[in-house]
Coordinates of all heavy atoms in Angstrom, one line a residue:
M275 N 7.2 0.0 -17.5 CA 7.6 1.3 -16.9 C 6.7 1.6 -15.7 O 7.2 2.1 -14.8 CB 7.3 2.3 -18.1 CG 7.9 3.6 -17.7 SD 9.7 3.6 -17.6 CE 10.1 5.2 -17.3
K276 N 5.4 1.2 -15.8 CA 4.5 1.5 -14.7 C 4.9 0.7 -13.5 O 4.9 1.2 -12.4 CB 3.1 1.1 -15.1 CG 2.0 2.0 -14.6 CD 0.7 1.5 -15.1 CE -0.3 2.6 -15.0 NZ -1.6 2.1 -15.4
R277 N 5.4 -0.6 -13.7 CA 5.8 -1.5 -12.6 C 7.1 -0.9 -12.0 O 7.2 -0.9 -10.7 CB 6.0 -2.8 -13.2 CG 6.3 -3.8 -12.2 CD 6.4 -5.2 -12.8 NE 6.6 -6.2 -11.7 CZ 6.3 -7.5 -11.8 NH1 5.8 -7.9 -13.0 NH2 6.4 -8.3 -10.8
L278 N 8.0 -0.4 -12.7 CA 9.2 0.3 -12.2 C 8.9 1.4 -11.3 O 9.4 1.6 -10.2 CB 10.2 0.6 -13.3 CG 11.5 1.2 -12.8 CD1 12.3 0.2 -12.1 CD2 12.3 1.7 -14.1
G279 N 8.0 2.3 -11.7 CA 7.5 3.4 -10.9 C 6.9 3.0 -9.6 O 7.2 3.6 -8.6
F280 N 6.1 1.9 -9.7 CA 5.5 1.4 -8.5 C 6.5 0.9 -7.5 O 6.4 1.1 -6.3 CB 4.4 0.3 -8.8 CG 3.8 -0.3 -7.6 CD1 2.9 0.3 -7.0 CD2 4.2 -1.6 -7.2 CE1 2.3 -0.3 -5.8 CE2 3.7 -2.2 -6.0 CZ 2.7 -1.5 -5.3
I281 N 7.5 0.2 -8.0 CA 8.6 -0.4 -7.3 C 9.4 0.7 -6.5 O 9.7 0.6 -5.3 CB 9.5 -1.4 -8.0 CG1 8.6 -2.6 -8.4 CG2 10.7 -1.8 -7.2 CD1 9.3 -3.5 -9.4
L282 N 9.7 1.8 -7.3 CA 10.4 2.9 -6.8 C 9.6 3.6 -5.7 O 10.1 3.9 -4.6 CB 10.8 3.9 -7.8 CG 11.9 3.4 -8.8 CD1 12.1 4.4 -9.9 CD2 13.2 3.2 -8.0
V283 N 8.4 3.8 -5.9 CA 7.5 4.5 -4.9 C 7.4 3.6 -3.6 O 7.5 4.1 -2.5 CB 6.2 4.9 -5.4 CG1 5.1 5.3 -4.4 CG2 6.3 5.9 -6.5
A284 N 7.2 2.3 -3.8 CA 7.1 1.4 -2.7 C 8.5 1.4 -1.9 O 8.4 1.4 -0.6 CB 6.8 0.0 -3.2
L285 N 9.6 1.4 -2.6 CA 10.9 1.4 -1.8 C 11.1 2.7 -1.1 O 11.5 2.7 0.0 CB 12.0 1.1 -2.8 CG 12.2 -0.2 -3.4 CD1 13.3 -0.3 -4.4 CD2 12.6 -1.2 -2.2
V286 N 10.8 3.8 -1.6 CA 10.8 5.1 -1.0 C 9.9 5.1 0.2 O 10.3 5.6 1.3 CB 10.5 6.3 -1.9 CG1 10.3 7.6 -1.2 CG2 11.7 6.4 -3.0
A287 N 8.8 4.6 0.1 CA 7.8 4.5 1.2 C 8.3 3.6 2.4 O 8.2 4.0 3.5 CB 6.4 4.0 0.8
I288 N 8.9 2.5 2.0 CA 9.5 1.7 3.0 C 10.6 2.3 3.7 O 10.8 2.2 4.9 CB 9.9 0.3 2.4 CG1 8.7 -0.5 1.9 CG2 10.8 -0.5 3.3 CD1 9.0 -1.7 1.1
V289 N 11.5 3.0 3.0 CA 12.7 3.7 3.6 C 12.2 4.8 4.5 O 12.7 5.0 5.7 CB 13.6 4.2 2.5 CG1 14.7 5.1 3.1 CG2 14.3 3.0 1.8
V290 N 11.2 5.6 4.1 CA 10.7 6.7 4.9 C 10.0 6.1 6.2 O 10.2 6.6 7.3 CB 9.7 7.6 4.1 CG1 8.9 8.5 5.0 CG2 10.4 8.4 3.1
G291 N 9.3 5.0 5.9 CA 8.6 4.4 7.2 C 9.7 3.8 8.1 O 9.5 4.0 9.3
L292 N 10.7 3.2 7.7 CA 11.8 2.7 8.6 C 12.5 3.9 9.2 O 12.8 3.9 10.5 CB 12.8 1.9 7.8 CG 12.3 0.5 7.4 CD1 13.3 -0.2 6.4 CD2 12.0 -0.3 8.6
L293 N 12.8 5.0 8.5 CA 13.4 6.1 9.1 C 12.5 6.8 10.2 O 13.1 7.1 11.3 CB 13.8 7.2 8.1 CG 15.0 6.9 7.2 CD1 15.1 7.9 6.1 CD2 16.3 6.8 8.1
V294 N 11.3 7.0 9.9 CA 10.4 7.6 10.9 C 10.2 6.7 12.1 O 10.3 7.1 13.3 CB 9.0 7.9 10.2 CG1 7.9 8.2 11.4 CG2 9.1 9.0 9.3
G295 N 10.2 5.4 11.9 CA 10.1 4.4 13.0 C 11.3 4.4 13.9 O 11.2 4.2 15.1
T296 N 12.4 4.4 13.2 CA 13.7 4.3 14.1 C 14.0 5.6 14.8 O 14.6 5.5 15.9 CB 14.8 3.8 13.2 OG1 15.0 4.6 12.1 CG2 14.6 2.4 12.8
L297 N 13.8 6.6 14.2 CA 14.1 7.9 14.7 C 13.1 8.4 15.8 O 13.4 9.4 16.5 CB 14.3 9.1 13.7 CG 15.4 8.8 12.7 CD1 15.4 9.8 11.6 CD2 16.8 8.8 13.4
N298 N 11.9 7.8 15.8 CA 10.9 8.2 16.7 C 10.4 7.0 17.5 O 9.3 6.6 17.5 CB 9.8 8.9 16.0 CG 10.1 10.1 15.4 OD1 10.5 11.1 16.0 ND2 10.0 10.1 14.0
S299 N 11.3 6.4 18.3 CA 11.0 5.1 19.0 C 10.4 5.4 20.4 O 10.1 4.4 21.1 CB 12.2 4.2 19.0 OG 13.2 4.9 19.7
N300 N 10.4 6.5 20.9 CA 9.8 6.8 22.2 C 8.3 6.5 22.3 O 7.6 6.8 21.4 CB 10.0 8.3 22.6 CG 11.4 8.7 22.6 OD1 12.3 7.9 22.8 ND2 11.7 10.1 22.5
P301 N 8.0 5.9 23.5 CA 6.6 5.5 23.6 C 5.7 6.7 23.9 O 6.0 7.6 24.6 CB 6.5 4.5 24.7 CG 7.7 4.8 25.5 CD 8.7 5.4 24.6
V302 N 4.4 6.7 23.3 CA 3.4 7.8 23.6 C 2.2 7.1 23.9 O 1.9 5.9 23.5 CB 3.2 8.7 22.4 CG1 4.5 9.5 22.1 CG2 2.8 8.0 21.2
L303 N 1.4 7.8 24.7 CA 0.0 7.3 25.0 C -1.0 7.8 24.1 O -1.2 9.1 24.1 CB -0.3 7.6 26.5 CG -1.6 7.0 27.0 CD1 -1.5 5.5 27.1 CD2 -1.9 7.6 28.4
L304 N -1.7 7.0 23.4 CA -2.8 7.4 22.4 C -4.1 7.2 23.2 O -4.5 6.1 23.4 CB -2.7 6.7 21.2 CG -3.6 7.0 20.1 CD1 -3.4 8.4 19.6 CD2 -3.5 6.1 18.9
D305 N -4.9 8.2 23.5 CA -6.1 8.2 24.3 C -7.3 8.4 23.3 O -7.5 9.5 22.8 CB -6.0 9.2 25.4 CG -7.3 9.0 26.4 OD1 -8.0 8.0 26.2 OD2 -7.4 9.9 27.3
L306 N -8.0 7.4 23.1 CA -9.2 7.5 22.2 C -10.5 7.3 23.1 O -11.1 6.2 23.0 CB -9.1 6.4 21.1 CG -7.9 6.4 20.2 CD1 -7.9 5.2 19.3 CD2 -7.9 7.7 19.4
L307 N -10.8 8.2 23.8 CA -12.0 8.2 24.7 C -12.0 7.1 25.7 O -11.6 7.2 26.8 CB -13.3 8.4 23.9 CG -13.5 9.6 23.2 CD1 -14.8 9.6 22.4 CD2 -13.5 10.8 24.1
W308 N -12.5 5.9 25.2 CA -12.6 4.8 26.2 C -11.4 3.8 26.1 O -11.3 3.0 26.9 CB -13.9 4.0 25.9 CG -15.1 4.8 26.1 CD1 -15.7 5.1 27.3 CD2 -15.9 5.4 25.1 NE1 -16.8 5.9 27.1 CE2 -17.0 6.1 25.7 CE3 -15.9 5.5 23.7 CZ2 -18.0 6.8 25.0 CZ3 -16.8 6.2 23.0 CH2 -17.9 6.8 23.7
V309 N -10.6 3.9 25.1 CA -9.4 3.0 24.9 C -8.2 3.8 24.9 O -8.1 4.9 24.3 CB -9.6 2.3 23.5 CG1 -8.5 1.3 23.4 CG2 -11.0 1.6 23.5
Q310 N -7.1 3.2 25.5 CA -5.9 3.8 25.6 C -4.8 2.9 25.0 O -4.8 1.7 25.4 CB -5.5 4.3 27.0 CG -6.3 5.4 27.5 CD -5.8 5.8 28.9 OE1 -5.1 5.1 29.6 NE2 -6.4 6.9 29.4
F311 N -3.9 3.4 24.1 CA -2.9 2.5 23.6 C -1.5 3.2 23.9 O -1.4 4.4 23.9 CB -3.0 2.5 22.0 CG -4.3 1.8 21.6 CD1 -5.3 2.6 21.0 CD2 -4.4 0.4 21.6 CE1 -6.4 2.0 20.6 CE2 -5.6 -0.2 21.2 CZ -6.6 0.6 20.7
E312 N -0.5 2.4 24.1 CA 0.8 2.9 24.1 C 1.5 2.4 23.0 O 1.8 1.2 22.7 CB 1.5 2.4 25.4 CG 2.8 3.1 25.6 CD 3.4 2.8 27.0 OE1 2.7 2.9 28.0 OE2 4.7 2.6 27.1
L313 N 1.9 3.4 22.1 CA 2.6 3.1 20.8 C 3.9 3.8 20.7 O 4.0 4.9 21.4 CB 1.7 3.5 19.6 CG 0.3 2.9 19.5 CD1 -0.4 3.8 18.4 CD2 0.3 1.5 19.2
P314 N 4.8 3.3 19.9 CA 6.0 4.1 19.6 C 5.6 5.3 18.8 O 4.6 5.3 18.0 CB 6.8 3.2 18.7 CG 6.3 1.8 18.9 CD 4.9 2.0 19.3
L315 N 6.2 6.4 19.0 CA 5.9 7.7 18.3 C 5.9 7.6 16.8 O 5.0 8.1 16.1 CB 6.8 8.8 18.8 CG 6.6 10.2 18.2 CD1 5.2 10.7 18.5 CD2 7.6 11.2 18.7
G316 N 6.8 6.8 16.3 CA 7.0 6.7 14.8 C 5.7 5.9 14.3 O 5.2 6.4 13.2
L317 N 5.3 4.9 15.0 CA 4.1 4.2 14.5 C 2.8 5.1 14.7 O 2.0 5.1 13.7 CB 3.8 3.0 15.4 CG 2.6 2.1 15.0 CD1 2.7 1.6 13.6 CD2 2.5 1.0 16.0
A318 N 2.7 6.0 15.6 CA 1.6 6.9 15.8 C 1.6 7.9 14.7 O 0.6 8.2 14.1 CB 1.6 7.6 17.1
I319 N 2.8 8.4 14.4 CA 2.9 9.3 13.2 C 2.5 8.7 11.9 O 1.7 9.3 11.1 CB 4.4 9.9 13.1 CG1 4.7 10.8 14.3 CG2 4.5 10.7 11.8 CD1 6.1 11.2 14.4
L320 N 3.0 7.5 11.6 CA 2.6 6.8 10.4 C 1.1 6.4 10.3 O 0.5 6.5 9.3 CB 3.5 5.6 10.2 CG 5.0 5.8 9.9 CD1 5.7 4.6 9.9 CD2 5.1 6.6 8.7
L321 N 0.5 6.0 11.4 CA -0.9 5.8 11.5 C -1.7 7.0 11.2 O -2.7 7.0 10.5 CB -1.2 5.1 12.9 CG -0.9 3.7 13.1 CD1 -1.3 3.3 14.5 CD2 -1.6 2.8 12.1
G322 N -1.3 8.2 11.8 CA -2.0 9.4 11.6 C -1.9 9.9 10.1 O -2.9 10.2 9.5
F323 N -0.7 9.7 9.5 CA -0.5 10.0 8.2 C -1.4 9.1 7.3 O -2.1 9.6 6.3 CB 1.0 9.8 7.8 CG 1.3 10.2 6.3 CD1 1.3 11.5 5.9 CD2 1.6 9.2 5.5 CE1 1.6 11.8 4.6 CE2 1.9 9.5 4.2 CZ 2.0 10.8 3.7
S324 N -1.4 7.8 7.5 CA -2.2 6.9 6.7 C -3.7 7.1 6.8 O -4.4 7.1 5.8 CB -1.8 5.4 7.2 OG -0.5 5.2 7.0
L325 N -4.1 7.4 8.0 CA -5.5 7.7 8.2 C -5.9 9.0 7.5 O -7.0 9.1 6.9 CB -5.8 7.8 9.7 CG -7.3 8.0 10.1 CD1 -8.1 6.8 9.7 CD2 -7.4 8.3 11.6
G326 N -5.0 10.0 7.5 CA -5.3 11.3 6.8 C -5.4 11.0 5.3 O -6.3 11.6 4.6
I327 N -4.5 10.2 4.8 CA -4.6 9.9 3.3 C -5.9 9.2 3.0 O -6.6 9.5 2.0 CB -3.3 9.1 2.9 CG1 -2.1 10.0 2.9 CG2 -3.6 8.5 1.5 CD1 -0.9 9.3 2.5
L328 N -6.2 8.2 3.9 CA -7.5 7.4 3.6 C -8.7 8.3 3.6 O -9.6 8.2 2.8 CB -7.5 6.3 4.7 CG -8.7 5.4 4.5 CD1 -8.6 4.5 3.2 CD2 -8.8 4.4 5.7
L329 N -8.8 9.1 4.7 CA -9.9 10.1 4.8 C -10.0 11.1 3.6 O -11.0 11.4 3.1 CB -10.0 10.8 6.1 CG -10.2 9.9 7.3 CD1 -10.0 10.7 8.6 CD2 -11.6 9.3 7.2
G330 N -8.8 11.6 3.2 CA -8.8 12.5 2.1 C -9.2 11.9 0.8 O -10.0 12.5 0.0
L331 N -8.7 10.7 0.5 CA -9.1 10.1 -0.7 C -10.6 9.7 -0.7 O -11.2 9.7 -1.7 CB -8.3 8.8 -1.0 CG -6.8 9.0 -1.3 CD1 -6.0 7.7 -1.3 CD2 -6.7 9.7 -2.6
S332 N -11.1 9.3 0.5 CA -12.5 9.0 0.6 C -13.4 10.2 0.3 O -14.4 10.1 -0.3 CB -12.9 8.4 2.0 OG -12.2 7.3 2.2
A333 N -12.9 11.4 0.8 CA -13.6 12.6 0.7 C -13.7 13.0 -0.8 O -14.7 13.5 -1.4 CB -13.0 13.8 1.5
V334 N -12.6 12.9 -1.5 CA -12.5 13.2 -3.0 C -13.4 12.2 -3.7 O -14.1 12.7 -4.6 CB -11.0 13.1 -3.4 CG1 -10.9 13.1 -5.0 CG2 -10.2 14.2 -2.9
Y335 N -13.4 11.0 -3.4 CA -14.2 10.0 -4.1 C -15.7 10.4 -3.9 O -16.4 10.4 -4.8 CB -14.0 8.6 -3.5 CG -14.7 7.5 -4.2 CD1 -14.4 7.1 -5.5 CD2 -15.9 7.0 -3.6 CE1 -15.0 6.1 -6.1 CE2 -16.6 6.1 -4.3 CZ -16.2 5.6 -5.5 OH -16.9 4.6 -6.2
L336 N -16.1 10.7 -2.7 CA -17.5 11.0 -2.4 C -17.9 12.3 -3.0 O -19.0 12.5 -3.5 CB -17.8 11.0 -0.9 CG -17.7 9.6 -0.3 CD1 -17.9 9.7 1.2 CD2 -18.8 8.7 -0.8
A337 N -17.0 13.3 -3.0 CA -17.3 14.6 -3.5 C -17.2 14.8 -5.0 O -18.0 15.6 -5.6 CB -16.4 15.7 -2.9
R338 N -16.3 14.1 -5.7 CA -16.2 14.3 -7.1 C -16.5 13.0 -7.9 O -17.2 13.1 -9.0 CB -14.7 14.6 -7.4 CG -14.3 16.0 -6.8 CD -15.0 17.1 -7.5 NE -14.9 17.1 -8.9 CZ -15.8 17.7 -9.8 NH1 -16.8 18.3 -9.2 NH2 -15.6 17.6 -11.0
V339 N -16.0 11.8 -7.5 CA -16.2 10.7 -8.4 C -17.6 10.1 -8.4 O -18.2 9.9 -9.5 CB -15.2 9.6 -7.9 CG1 -15.4 8.3 -8.7 CG2 -13.8 10.0 -8.1
V340 N -18.2 10.1 -7.3 CA -19.7 9.6 -7.2 C -20.6 10.5 -8.0 O -21.4 10.0 -8.9 CB -20.1 9.4 -5.8 CG1 -21.6 9.1 -5.7 CG2 -19.4 8.3 -5.1
P341 N -20.6 11.8 -7.8 CA -21.4 12.6 -8.7 C -21.2 12.5 -10.2 O -22.1 12.5 -11.0 CB -21.2 14.1 -8.2 CG -20.7 13.9 -6.8 CD -19.9 12.6 -6.8
L342 N -19.9 12.4 -10.6 CA -19.6 12.2 -12.0 C -20.1 10.9 -12.5 O -20.6 10.8 -13.7 CB -18.0 12.4 -12.2 CG -17.5 13.8 -12.0 CD1 -16.0 13.8 -12.1 CD2 -18.1 14.7 -13.1
R343 N -20.0 9.9 -11.7 CA -20.5 8.6 -12.2 C -22.0 8.6 -12.4 O -22.6 8.1 -13.3 CB -20.2 7.5 -11.2 CG -18.8 7.1 -11.3 CD -18.4 5.8 -10.5 NE -17.1 5.4 -10.7 CZ -16.7 4.3 -10.3 NH1 -17.4 3.4 -9.7 NH2 -15.4 3.9 -10.5
L344 N -22.7 9.3 -11.4 CA -24.2 9.5 -11.6 C -24.5 10.3 -12.8 O -25.5 10.0 -13.5 CB -24.8 10.2 -10.3 CG -24.7 9.3 -9.0 CD1 -25.2 10.1 -7.9 CD2 -25.6 8.1 -9.2
Q345 N -23.7 11.3 -13.1 CA -24.0 12.1 -14.2 C -23.8 11.3 -15.5 O -24.5 11.5 -16.5 CB -23.1 13.4 -14.2 CG -23.2 14.3 -15.3 CD -22.2 15.5 -15.2 OE1 -21.5 15.6 -14.3 NE2 -22.4 16.5 -16.1
L346 N -22.7 10.5 -15.5 CA -22.4 9.6 -16.7 C -23.6 8.6 -16.9 O -24.0 8.4 -18.0 CB -21.1 8.9 -16.4 CG -20.7 7.9 -17.6 CD1 -20.5 8.7 -18.9 CD2 -19.4 7.3 -17.1
R347 N -24.1 8.1 -15.8 CA -25.2 7.1 -15.9 C -26.4 7.7 -16.5 O -27.0 7.2 -17.4 CB -25.5 6.5 -14.5 CG -26.6 5.4 -14.6 CD -26.8 4.8 -13.3 NE -25.7 4.2 -12.8 CZ -25.4 4.0 -11.4 NH1 -26.3 4.4 -10.5 NH2 -24.3 3.4 -11.1
K348 N -26.7 9.0 -16.1 CA -27.9 9.7 -16.6 C -27.6 10.1 -18.1 O -28.6 10.0 -18.9 CB -28.1 11.1 -15.9 CG -28.7 10.8 -14.5 CD -28.9 12.1 -13.7 CE -29.3 11.8 -12.3 NZ -29.5 13.0 -11.6
A349 N -26.5 10.5 -18.5 CA -26.1 10.8 -19.9 C -26.2 9.5 -20.8 O -26.8 9.6 -21.9 CB -24.8 11.4 -20.0
R350 N -25.8 8.4 -20.3 CA -25.9 7.1 -21.0 C -27.3 6.8 -21.2 O -27.7 6.3 -22.3 CB -25.1 6.1 -20.4 CG -23.6 6.2 -20.6 CD -22.8 5.0 -20.0 NE -21.5 5.1 -20.3 CZ -20.5 4.4 -19.7 NH1 -20.8 3.5 -18.7 NH2 -19.3 4.5 -20.0
A351 N -28.1 6.9 -20.2 CA -29.6 6.5 -20.3 C -30.3 7.5 -21.2 O -31.1 7.1 -22.1 CB -30.2 6.7 -18.9
A352 N -29.9 8.8 -21.2 CA -30.5 9.7 -22.1 C -30.1 9.4 -23.6 O -30.9 9.5 -24.5 CB -30.2 11.2 -21.8
L353 N -28.9 9.0 -23.8 CA -28.4 8.7 -25.1 C -29.1 7.4 -25.7 O -29.4 7.3 -26.8 CB -26.9 8.5 -25.1 CG -26.2 8.2 -26.4 CD1 -26.4 9.4 -27.4 CD2 -24.7 7.9 -26.3
A354 N -29.2 6.4 -24.8 CA -29.9 5.2 -25.2 C -31.3 5.5 -25.5 O -31.9 4.9 -26.5 CB -29.8 4.1 -24.1
K355 N -32.0 6.3 -24.8 CA -33.3 6.7 -25.0 C -33.5 7.5 -26.4 O -34.3 7.2 -27.2 CB -33.9 7.6 -23.9 CG -35.3 7.9 -24.1 CD -35.9 8.7 -22.9 CE -37.3 9.1 -23.0 NZ -37.8 9.9 -21.9
Q356 N -32.5 8.3 -26.7 CA -32.4 9.1 -27.9 C -32.2 8.1 -29.1 O -32.8 8.3 -30.1 CB -31.3 10.1 -27.9 CG -31.2 11.0 -29.1 CD -32.5 11.9 -29.3 OE1 -33.0 12.3 -28.3 NE2 -32.8 12.1 -30.5
D357 N -31.4 7.1 -28.9 CA -31.1 6.1 -30.0 C -32.3 5.3 -30.3 O -32.7 5.0 -31.4 CB -30.0 5.2 -29.5 CG -28.6 5.8 -29.7 OD1 -28.5 6.9 -30.4 OD2 -27.6 5.2 -29.2
K358 N -33.2 4.9 -29.2 CA -34.4 4.2 -29.4 C -35.4 5.1 -30.2 O -36.1 4.6 -31.1 CB -34.9 3.8 -28.1 CG -34.3 2.6 -27.5 CD -35.0 2.2 -26.2 CE -34.2 1.0 -25.5 NZ -34.9 0.6 -24.3
I359 N -35.4 6.4 -29.9 CA -36.4 7.2 -30.6 C -35.9 7.3 -32.1 O -36.8 7.3 -33.0 CB -36.5 8.6 -29.9 CG1 -37.1 8.5 -28.6 CG2 -37.2 9.6 -30.8 CD1 -37.1 9.7 -27.7
D360 N -34.7 7.5 -32.3 CA -34.1 7.7 -33.7 C -34.3 6.4 -34.6 O -34.6 6.4 -35.7 CB -32.6 8.0 -33.7 CG -32.3 9.4 -33.2 OD1 -33.3 10.2 -33.2 OD2 -31.3 9.7 -32.8
L361 N -34.2 5.2 -33.9 CA -34.4 4.0 -34.6 C -35.9 3.7 -34.9 O -36.2 3.1 -35.9 CB -33.9 2.8 -33.7 CG -32.4 2.7 -33.6 CD1 -31.9 1.6 -32.7 CD2 -31.6 2.6 -35.0
S362 N -36.8 4.2 -34.2 CA -38.2 4.0 -34.4 C -38.8 4.9 -35.5 O -39.8 4.6 -36.0 CB -39.0 4.3 -33.1 OG -39.0 5.6 -32.7
L363 N -38.0 5.9 -35.9 CA -38.5 6.8 -37.0 C -38.2 6.1 -38.3 O -37.2 5.6 -38.6 CB -37.8 8.1 -37.0 CG -38.1 9.0 -35.8 CD1 -37.2 10.3 -35.8 CD2 -39.5 9.4 -35.8
P364 N -39.2 6.1 -39.3 CA -38.9 5.5 -40.5 C -38.1 6.3 -41.4 O -38.0 7.5 -41.4 CB -40.4 5.3 -41.1 CG -41.2 6.4 -40.5 CD -40.5 6.6 -39.1
D365 N -37.3 5.6 -42.3 CA -36.4 6.3 -43.2 C -37.2 6.5 -44.5 O -37.9 5.6 -45.0 CB -35.1 5.5 -43.5 CG -34.2 5.5 -42.3 OD1 -34.3 6.5 -41.5 OD2 -33.5 4.5 -42.2
D366 N -37.1 7.7 -45.1 CA -37.8 7.9 -46.4 C -36.8 7.7 -47.6 O -35.7 7.9 -47.6 CB -38.2 9.3 -46.5 CG -39.5 9.5 -45.5 OD1 -40.2 8.5 -45.3 OD2 -39.7 10.6 -45.0

């Protein structure tokens, strides 16, 4: 089921990419300070969209996932320390 969903999403992305590329084929000049590129408008739109997704996912990863992983590591270390303390106590 997961594979079918992935295939459907990939097909939709390919169709959308082809539509954007064919409907926006006029060349545009992309000026990046020292470097200039002449690209089709559709490619420039798709590159901007892809870069935005990449930067957004990176920001979420750095803002949420990394702190949660650090918190989990500390909690596991505290639990391991607590288990060592509990094991060292004699049973009556």
Side-chain angles (χ1 to χ4, degrees):
M275 189 67 175
K276 217 177 198 183
R277 187 175 185 156
L278 180 65
F280 176 78
I281 291 172
L282 287 174
V283 169
L285 286 174
V286 168
I288 290 170
V289 168
V290 168
L292 288 173
L293 283 173
V294 169
T296 56
L297 295 176
N298 297 297
S299 60
N300 297 337
V302 293
L303 184 65
L304 185 62
D305 189 4
L306 303 172
L307 293 179
W308 297 284
V309 181
Q310 294 180 347
F311 299 104
E312 189 168 318
L313 303 171
L315 180 60
L317 181 61
I319 290 171
L320 291 175
L321 285 175
F323 180 72
S324 300
L325 185 63
I327 287 177
L328 184 67
L329 290 174
L331 289 174
S332 298
V334 167
Y335 182 78
L336 291 174
R338 295 296 304 157
V339 176
V340 171
L342 287 174
R343 284 189 179 191
L344 291 174
Q345 185 180 2
L346 179 61
R347 184 179 297 156
K348 287 179 185 177
R350 284 183 176 168
L353 184 61
K355 185 177 179 183
Q356 183 67 31
D357 284 345
K358 283 184 181 179
I359 292 172
D360 288 345
L361 291 177
S362 65
L363 293 177
D365 288 336
D366 289 333

